PDB file of all heavy atoms in Angstrom:
ATOM      1  N   GLU A   1     -19.932 -15.585   0.851  1.00  0.00           N
ATOM      2  CA  GLU A   1     -19.346 -15.297  -0.453  1.00  0.00           C
ATOM      3  C   GLU A   1     -17.828 -15.420  -0.401  1.00  0.00           C
ATOM      4  O   GLU A   1     -17.209 -15.942  -1.331  1.00  0.00           O
ATOM      5  CB  GLU A   1     -19.785 -13.914  -0.931  1.00  0.00           C
ATOM      6  CG  GLU A   1     -21.254 -13.866  -1.306  1.00  0.00           C
ATOM      7  CD  GLU A   1     -21.760 -12.461  -1.591  1.00  0.00           C
ATOM      8  OE1 GLU A   1     -20.939 -11.508  -1.618  1.00  0.00           O
ATOM      9  OE2 GLU A   1     -22.976 -12.312  -1.785  1.00  0.00           O
ATOM     10  N   GLN A   2     -17.227 -14.938   0.700  1.00  0.00           N
ATOM     11  CA  GLN A   2     -15.781 -15.074   0.874  1.00  0.00           C
ATOM     12  C   GLN A   2     -15.378 -16.545   0.868  1.00  0.00           C
ATOM     13  O   GLN A   2     -14.395 -16.923   0.217  1.00  0.00           O
ATOM     14  CB  GLN A   2     -15.343 -14.471   2.217  1.00  0.00           C
ATOM     15  CG  GLN A   2     -14.924 -13.044   2.175  1.00  0.00           C
ATOM     16  CD  GLN A   2     -14.381 -12.634   3.539  1.00  0.00           C
ATOM     17  OE1 GLN A   2     -15.039 -12.809   4.563  1.00  0.00           O
ATOM     18  NE2 GLN A   2     -13.188 -12.072   3.544  1.00  0.00           N
ATOM     19  N   ALA A   3     -16.122 -17.362   1.588  1.00  0.00           N
ATOM     20  CA  ALA A   3     -15.806 -18.790   1.661  1.00  0.00           C
ATOM     21  C   ALA A   3     -15.910 -19.430   0.282  1.00  0.00           C
ATOM     22  O   ALA A   3     -15.037 -20.223  -0.111  1.00  0.00           O
ATOM     23  CB  ALA A   3     -16.731 -19.494   2.658  1.00  0.00           C
ATOM     24  N   MET A   4     -16.948 -19.096  -0.463  1.00  0.00           N
ATOM     25  CA  MET A   4     -17.099 -19.670  -1.804  1.00  0.00           C
ATOM     26  C   MET A   4     -15.941 -19.253  -2.707  1.00  0.00           C
ATOM     27  O   MET A   4     -15.423 -20.057  -3.482  1.00  0.00           O
ATOM     28  CB  MET A   4     -18.449 -19.262  -2.416  1.00  0.00           C
ATOM     29  CG  MET A   4     -19.618 -19.956  -1.749  1.00  0.00           C
ATOM     30  SD  MET A   4     -21.211 -19.731  -2.577  1.00  0.00           S
ATOM     31  CE  MET A   4     -21.308 -17.979  -2.847  1.00  0.00           C
ATOM     32  N   THR A   5     -15.520 -18.012  -2.594  1.00  0.00           N
ATOM     33  CA  THR A   5     -14.387 -17.539  -3.387  1.00  0.00           C
ATOM     34  C   THR A   5     -13.127 -18.310  -3.024  1.00  0.00           C
ATOM     35  O   THR A   5     -12.357 -18.707  -3.899  1.00  0.00           O
ATOM     36  CB  THR A   5     -14.178 -16.023  -3.168  1.00  0.00           C
ATOM     37  OG1 THR A   5     -15.360 -15.334  -3.577  1.00  0.00           O
ATOM     38  CG2 THR A   5     -12.988 -15.505  -3.955  1.00  0.00           C
ATOM     39  N   LEU A   6     -12.907 -18.523  -1.746  1.00  0.00           N
ATOM     40  CA  LEU A   6     -11.730 -19.274  -1.305  1.00  0.00           C
ATOM     41  C   LEU A   6     -11.741 -20.708  -1.839  1.00  0.00           C
ATOM     42  O   LEU A   6     -10.710 -21.227  -2.265  1.00  0.00           O
ATOM     43  CB  LEU A   6     -11.638 -19.277   0.225  1.00  0.00           C
ATOM     44  CG  LEU A   6     -11.268 -17.942   0.869  1.00  0.00           C
ATOM     45  CD1 LEU A   6     -11.472 -18.005   2.381  1.00  0.00           C
ATOM     46  CD2 LEU A   6      -9.827 -17.566   0.527  1.00  0.00           C
ATOM     47  N   PHE A   7     -12.894 -21.334  -1.805  1.00  0.00           N
ATOM     48  CA  PHE A   7     -12.989 -22.717  -2.276  1.00  0.00           C
ATOM     49  C   PHE A   7     -12.872 -22.821  -3.799  1.00  0.00           C
ATOM     50  O   PHE A   7     -12.555 -23.881  -4.330  1.00  0.00           O
ATOM     51  CB  PHE A   7     -14.283 -23.378  -1.804  1.00  0.00           C
ATOM     52  CG  PHE A   7     -14.208 -23.863  -0.394  1.00  0.00           C
ATOM     53  CD1 PHE A   7     -14.958 -23.263   0.597  1.00  0.00           C
ATOM     54  CD2 PHE A   7     -13.378 -24.932  -0.039  1.00  0.00           C
ATOM     55  CE1 PHE A   7     -14.887 -23.711   1.909  1.00  0.00           C
ATOM     56  CE2 PHE A   7     -13.302 -25.382   1.265  1.00  0.00           C
ATOM     57  CZ  PHE A   7     -14.054 -24.773   2.246  1.00  0.00           C
ATOM     58  N   ALA A   8     -13.108 -21.733  -4.502  1.00  0.00           N
ATOM     59  CA  ALA A   8     -13.037 -21.755  -5.957  1.00  0.00           C
ATOM     60  C   ALA A   8     -11.613 -21.531  -6.479  1.00  0.00           C
ATOM     61  O   ALA A   8     -11.379 -21.648  -7.687  1.00  0.00           O
ATOM     62  CB  ALA A   8     -13.972 -20.693  -6.539  1.00  0.00           C
ATOM     63  N   GLN A   9     -10.684 -21.217  -5.607  1.00  0.00           N
ATOM     64  CA  GLN A   9      -9.300 -20.973  -6.015  1.00  0.00           C
ATOM     65  C   GLN A   9      -8.623 -22.272  -6.455  1.00  0.00           C
ATOM     66  O   GLN A   9      -8.984 -23.353  -5.988  1.00  0.00           O
ATOM     67  CB  GLN A   9      -8.508 -20.352  -4.854  1.00  0.00           C
ATOM     68  CG  GLN A   9      -9.048 -19.022  -4.370  1.00  0.00           C
ATOM     69  CD  GLN A   9      -9.068 -17.985  -5.475  1.00  0.00           C
ATOM     70  OE1 GLN A   9      -8.079 -17.769  -6.174  1.00  0.00           O
ATOM     71  NE2 GLN A   9     -10.225 -17.350  -5.658  1.00  0.00           N
ATOM     72  N   PRO A  10      -7.630 -22.162  -7.330  1.00  0.00           N
ATOM     73  CA  PRO A  10      -6.905 -23.363  -7.760  1.00  0.00           C
ATOM     74  C   PRO A  10      -6.280 -24.112  -6.573  1.00  0.00           C
ATOM     75  O   PRO A  10      -6.277 -25.338  -6.543  1.00  0.00           O
ATOM     76  CB  PRO A  10      -5.816 -22.819  -8.698  1.00  0.00           C
ATOM     77  CG  PRO A  10      -6.299 -21.480  -9.123  1.00  0.00           C
ATOM     78  CD  PRO A  10      -7.172 -20.956  -8.016  1.00  0.00           C
ATOM     79  N   THR A  11      -5.790 -23.355  -5.595  1.00  0.00           N
ATOM     80  CA  THR A  11      -5.265 -23.943  -4.365  1.00  0.00           C
ATOM     81  C   THR A  11      -6.044 -23.340  -3.214  1.00  0.00           C
ATOM     82  O   THR A  11      -6.068 -22.115  -3.046  1.00  0.00           O
ATOM     83  CB  THR A  11      -3.761 -23.631  -4.199  1.00  0.00           C
ATOM     84  OG1 THR A  11      -3.061 -24.110  -5.347  1.00  0.00           O
ATOM     85  CG2 THR A  11      -3.220 -24.288  -2.941  1.00  0.00           C
ATOM     86  N   VAL A  12      -6.669 -24.195  -2.414  1.00  0.00           N
ATOM     87  CA  VAL A  12      -7.494 -23.708  -1.313  1.00  0.00           C
ATOM     88  C   VAL A  12      -6.599 -23.442  -0.107  1.00  0.00           C
ATOM     89  O   VAL A  12      -5.860 -24.319   0.344  1.00  0.00           O
ATOM     90  CB  VAL A  12      -8.597 -24.730  -0.960  1.00  0.00           C
ATOM     91  CG1 VAL A  12      -9.412 -24.240   0.227  1.00  0.00           C
ATOM     92  CG2 VAL A  12      -9.486 -24.974  -2.165  1.00  0.00           C
ATOM     93  N   ASP A  13      -6.687 -22.221   0.407  1.00  0.00           N
ATOM     94  CA  ASP A  13      -5.904 -21.812   1.572  1.00  0.00           C
ATOM     95  C   ASP A  13      -6.687 -22.212   2.834  1.00  0.00           C
ATOM     96  O   ASP A  13      -7.654 -21.555   3.216  1.00  0.00           O
ATOM     97  CB  ASP A  13      -5.680 -20.304   1.524  1.00  0.00           C
ATOM     98  CG  ASP A  13      -4.844 -19.774   2.683  1.00  0.00           C
ATOM     99  OD1 ASP A  13      -4.595 -20.519   3.654  1.00  0.00           O
ATOM    100  OD2 ASP A  13      -4.451 -18.590   2.615  1.00  0.00           O
ATOM    101  N   ALA A  14      -6.241 -23.291   3.461  1.00  0.00           N
ATOM    102  CA  ALA A  14      -6.953 -23.829   4.627  1.00  0.00           C
ATOM    103  C   ALA A  14      -7.024 -22.819   5.770  1.00  0.00           C
ATOM    104  O   ALA A  14      -8.042 -22.730   6.464  1.00  0.00           O
ATOM    105  CB  ALA A  14      -6.275 -25.116   5.107  1.00  0.00           C
ATOM    106  N   ARG A  15      -5.968 -22.045   5.962  1.00  0.00           N
ATOM    107  CA  ARG A  15      -5.966 -21.050   7.051  1.00  0.00           C
ATOM    108  C   ARG A  15      -7.004 -19.954   6.798  1.00  0.00           C
ATOM    109  O   ARG A  15      -7.698 -19.527   7.708  1.00  0.00           O
ATOM    110  CB  ARG A  15      -4.584 -20.450   7.225  1.00  0.00           C
ATOM    111  CG  ARG A  15      -3.597 -21.412   7.836  1.00  0.00           C
ATOM    112  CD  ARG A  15      -2.265 -20.746   8.059  1.00  0.00           C
ATOM    113  NE  ARG A  15      -1.291 -21.744   8.464  1.00  0.00           N
ATOM    114  CZ  ARG A  15      -0.008 -21.605   8.342  1.00  0.00           C
ATOM    115  NH1 ARG A  15       0.503 -20.489   7.841  1.00  0.00           N
ATOM    116  NH2 ARG A  15       0.802 -22.564   8.725  1.00  0.00           N
ATOM    117  N   ALA A  16      -7.079 -19.517   5.553  1.00  0.00           N
ATOM    118  CA  ALA A  16      -8.052 -18.471   5.215  1.00  0.00           C
ATOM    119  C   ALA A  16      -9.479 -18.998   5.372  1.00  0.00           C
ATOM    120  O   ALA A  16     -10.358 -18.292   5.889  1.00  0.00           O
ATOM    121  CB  ALA A  16      -7.821 -17.971   3.793  1.00  0.00           C
ATOM    122  N   VAL A  17      -9.706 -20.234   4.942  1.00  0.00           N
ATOM    123  CA  VAL A  17     -11.031 -20.839   5.096  1.00  0.00           C
ATOM    124  C   VAL A  17     -11.386 -20.946   6.576  1.00  0.00           C
ATOM    125  O   VAL A  17     -12.506 -20.617   6.983  1.00  0.00           O
ATOM    126  CB  VAL A  17     -11.095 -22.226   4.406  1.00  0.00           C
ATOM    127  CG1 VAL A  17     -12.378 -22.956   4.765  1.00  0.00           C
ATOM    128  CG2 VAL A  17     -10.962 -22.074   2.896  1.00  0.00           C
ATOM    129  N   GLU A  18     -10.443 -21.370   7.378  1.00  0.00           N
ATOM    130  CA  GLU A  18     -10.692 -21.494   8.820  1.00  0.00           C
ATOM    131  C   GLU A  18     -10.980 -20.133   9.447  1.00  0.00           C
ATOM    132  O   GLU A  18     -11.852 -20.006  10.310  1.00  0.00           O
ATOM    133  CB  GLU A  18      -9.505 -22.167   9.515  1.00  0.00           C
ATOM    134  CG  GLU A  18      -9.638 -22.267  11.014  1.00  0.00           C
ATOM    135  CD  GLU A  18     -10.842 -23.064  11.507  1.00  0.00           C
ATOM    136  OE1 GLU A  18     -11.447 -23.833  10.732  1.00  0.00           O
ATOM    137  OE2 GLU A  18     -11.204 -22.911  12.698  1.00  0.00           O
ATOM    138  N   ALA A  19     -10.277 -19.106   9.014  1.00  0.00           N
ATOM    139  CA  ALA A  19     -10.516 -17.764   9.545  1.00  0.00           C
ATOM    140  C   ALA A  19     -11.940 -17.298   9.226  1.00  0.00           C
ATOM    141  O   ALA A  19     -12.626 -16.727  10.087  1.00  0.00           O
ATOM    142  CB  ALA A  19      -9.493 -16.781   8.980  1.00  0.00           C
ATOM    143  N   VAL A  20     -12.392 -17.565   8.008  1.00  0.00           N
ATOM    144  CA  VAL A  20     -13.761 -17.195   7.626  1.00  0.00           C
ATOM    145  C   VAL A  20     -14.761 -18.015   8.434  1.00  0.00           C
ATOM    146  O   VAL A  20     -15.773 -17.484   8.907  1.00  0.00           O
ATOM    147  CB  VAL A  20     -13.977 -17.370   6.103  1.00  0.00           C
ATOM    148  CG1 VAL A  20     -15.445 -17.208   5.745  1.00  0.00           C
ATOM    149  CG2 VAL A  20     -13.126 -16.379   5.332  1.00  0.00           C
ATOM    150  N   ARG A  21     -14.473 -19.308   8.609  1.00  0.00           N
ATOM    151  CA  ARG A  21     -15.368 -20.160   9.395  1.00  0.00           C
ATOM    152  C   ARG A  21     -15.500 -19.631  10.824  1.00  0.00           C
ATOM    153  O   ARG A  21     -16.597 -19.557  11.377  1.00  0.00           O
ATOM    154  CB  ARG A  21     -14.860 -21.607   9.429  1.00  0.00           C
ATOM    155  CG  ARG A  21     -15.843 -22.565  10.119  1.00  0.00           C
ATOM    156  CD  ARG A  21     -15.184 -23.878  10.461  1.00  0.00           C
ATOM    157  NE  ARG A  21     -14.188 -23.750  11.503  1.00  0.00           N
ATOM    158  CZ  ARG A  21     -14.472 -23.658  12.819  1.00  0.00           C
ATOM    159  NH1 ARG A  21     -15.713 -23.682  13.234  1.00  0.00           N
ATOM    160  NH2 ARG A  21     -13.508 -23.545  13.702  1.00  0.00           N
ATOM    161  N   GLN A  22     -14.393 -19.217  11.405  1.00  0.00           N
ATOM    162  CA  GLN A  22     -14.440 -18.679  12.765  1.00  0.00           C
ATOM    163  C   GLN A  22     -15.255 -17.395  12.826  1.00  0.00           C
ATOM    164  O   GLN A  22     -16.002 -17.164  13.782  1.00  0.00           O
ATOM    165  CB  GLN A  22     -13.026 -18.472  13.301  1.00  0.00           C
ATOM    166  CG  GLN A  22     -12.330 -19.779  13.628  1.00  0.00           C
ATOM    167  CD  GLN A  22     -10.914 -19.583  14.120  1.00  0.00           C
ATOM    168  OE1 GLN A  22     -10.479 -18.464  14.380  1.00  0.00           O
ATOM    169  NE2 GLN A  22     -10.183 -20.682  14.246  1.00  0.00           N
ATOM    170  N   GLN A  23     -15.144 -16.562  11.805  1.00  0.00           N
ATOM    171  CA  GLN A  23     -15.964 -15.343  11.750  1.00  0.00           C
ATOM    172  C   GLN A  23     -17.442 -15.706  11.655  1.00  0.00           C
ATOM    173  O   GLN A  23     -18.289 -15.049  12.276  1.00  0.00           O
ATOM    174  CB  GLN A  23     -15.557 -14.470  10.573  1.00  0.00           C
ATOM    175  CG  GLN A  23     -14.213 -13.806  10.734  1.00  0.00           C
ATOM    176  CD  GLN A  23     -13.825 -13.016   9.497  1.00  0.00           C
ATOM    177  OE1 GLN A  23     -14.072 -13.430   8.364  1.00  0.00           O
ATOM    178  NE2 GLN A  23     -13.207 -11.862   9.712  1.00  0.00           N
ATOM    179  N   MET A  24     -17.759 -16.745  10.884  1.00  0.00           N
ATOM    180  CA  MET A  24     -19.153 -17.191  10.758  1.00  0.00           C
ATOM    181  C   MET A  24     -19.679 -17.687  12.106  1.00  0.00           C
ATOM    182  O   MET A  24     -20.823 -17.389  12.469  1.00  0.00           O
ATOM    183  CB  MET A  24     -19.266 -18.303   9.716  1.00  0.00           C
ATOM    184  CG  MET A  24     -19.061 -17.863   8.305  1.00  0.00           C
ATOM    185  SD  MET A  24     -19.025 -19.299   7.206  1.00  0.00           S
ATOM    186  CE  MET A  24     -19.700 -18.595   5.725  1.00  0.00           C
ATOM    187  N   VAL A  25     -18.861 -18.421  12.817  1.00  0.00           N
ATOM    188  CA  VAL A  25     -19.262 -18.920  14.138  1.00  0.00           C
ATOM    189  C   VAL A  25     -19.506 -17.750  15.086  1.00  0.00           C
ATOM    190  O   VAL A  25     -20.490 -17.730  15.837  1.00  0.00           O
ATOM    191  CB  VAL A  25     -18.205 -19.895  14.701  1.00  0.00           C
ATOM    192  CG1 VAL A  25     -18.464 -20.198  16.171  1.00  0.00           C
ATOM    193  CG2 VAL A  25     -18.176 -21.179  13.891  1.00  0.00           C
ATOM    194  N   GLN A  26     -18.646 -16.745  15.050  1.00  0.00           N
ATOM    195  CA  GLN A  26     -18.837 -15.560  15.895  1.00  0.00           C
ATOM    196  C   GLN A  26     -20.129 -14.835  15.539  1.00  0.00           C
ATOM    197  O   GLN A  26     -20.870 -14.397  16.425  1.00  0.00           O
ATOM    198  CB  GLN A  26     -17.651 -14.599  15.748  1.00  0.00           C
ATOM    199  CG  GLN A  26     -16.391 -15.064  16.422  1.00  0.00           C
ATOM    200  CD  GLN A  26     -15.231 -14.112  16.158  1.00  0.00           C
ATOM    201  OE1 GLN A  26     -15.225 -13.345  15.193  1.00  0.00           O
ATOM    202  NE2 GLN A  26     -14.225 -14.165  17.034  1.00  0.00           N
ATOM    203  N   GLN A  27     -20.421 -14.724  14.243  1.00  0.00           N
ATOM    204  CA  GLN A  27     -21.650 -14.052  13.817  1.00  0.00           C
ATOM    205  C   GLN A  27     -22.860 -14.824  14.303  1.00  0.00           C
ATOM    206  O   GLN A  27     -23.817 -14.237  14.795  1.00  0.00           O
ATOM    207  CB  GLN A  27     -21.661 -13.914  12.289  1.00  0.00           C
ATOM    208  CG  GLN A  27     -22.796 -13.077  11.760  1.00  0.00           C
ATOM    209  CD  GLN A  27     -24.107 -13.823  11.643  1.00  0.00           C
ATOM    210  OE1 GLN A  27     -24.149 -15.023  11.419  1.00  0.00           O
ATOM    211  NE2 GLN A  27     -25.200 -13.115  11.827  1.00  0.00           N
ATOM    212  N   HIS A  28     -22.817 -16.144  14.164  1.00  0.00           N
ATOM    213  CA  HIS A  28     -23.931 -16.968  14.635  1.00  0.00           C
ATOM    214  C   HIS A  28     -24.098 -16.822  16.145  1.00  0.00           C
ATOM    215  O   HIS A  28     -25.226 -16.722  16.642  1.00  0.00           O
ATOM    216  CB  HIS A  28     -23.699 -18.432  14.267  1.00  0.00           C
ATOM    217  CG  HIS A  28     -24.780 -19.326  14.759  1.00  0.00           C
ATOM    218  ND1 HIS A  28     -26.009 -19.405  14.163  1.00  0.00           N
ATOM    219  CD2 HIS A  28     -24.833 -20.156  15.828  1.00  0.00           C
ATOM    220  CE1 HIS A  28     -26.780 -20.245  14.833  1.00  0.00           C
ATOM    221  NE2 HIS A  28     -26.082 -20.719  15.842  1.00  0.00           N
ATOM    222  N   ASP A  29     -23.005 -16.766  16.875  1.00  0.00           N
ATOM    223  CA  ASP A  29     -23.067 -16.607  18.328  1.00  0.00           C
ATOM    224  C   ASP A  29     -23.682 -15.256  18.696  1.00  0.00           C
ATOM    225  O   ASP A  29     -24.505 -15.173  19.617  1.00  0.00           O
ATOM    226  CB  ASP A  29     -21.671 -16.754  18.926  1.00  0.00           C
ATOM    227  CG  ASP A  29     -21.699 -16.759  20.439  1.00  0.00           C
ATOM    228  OD1 ASP A  29     -22.444 -17.589  21.020  1.00  0.00           O
ATOM    229  OD2 ASP A  29     -20.992 -15.939  21.052  1.00  0.00           O
ATOM    230  N   GLN A  30     -23.327 -14.209  17.972  1.00  0.00           N
ATOM    231  CA  GLN A  30     -23.921 -12.894  18.233  1.00  0.00           C
ATOM    232  C   GLN A  30     -25.426 -12.923  18.016  1.00  0.00           C
ATOM    233  O   GLN A  30     -26.195 -12.375  18.815  1.00  0.00           O
ATOM    234  CB  GLN A  30     -23.308 -11.833  17.321  1.00  0.00           C
ATOM    235  CG  GLN A  30     -21.932 -11.397  17.683  1.00  0.00           C
ATOM    236  CD  GLN A  30     -21.389 -10.388  16.676  1.00  0.00           C
ATOM    237  OE1 GLN A  30     -21.767 -10.390  15.493  1.00  0.00           O
ATOM    238  NE2 GLN A  30     -20.498  -9.521  17.126  1.00  0.00           N
ATOM    239  N   SER A  31     -25.834 -13.550  16.925  1.00  0.00           N
ATOM    240  CA  SER A  31     -27.256 -13.661  16.624  1.00  0.00           C
ATOM    241  C   SER A  31     -27.978 -14.449  17.711  1.00  0.00           C
ATOM    242  O   SER A  31     -29.048 -14.050  18.181  1.00  0.00           O
ATOM    243  CB  SER A  31     -27.429 -14.327  15.261  1.00  0.00           C
ATOM    244  OG  SER A  31     -28.783 -14.471  14.954  1.00  0.00           O
TER     245      SER A  31
END
């Protein structure tokens, strides 16, 4: 949901998107 919100912004913050992506990768690794 965070990622979708970031992508829906008028200007996409690449750093914020990357931070969320890294969190997703960590979650997948934990699983």
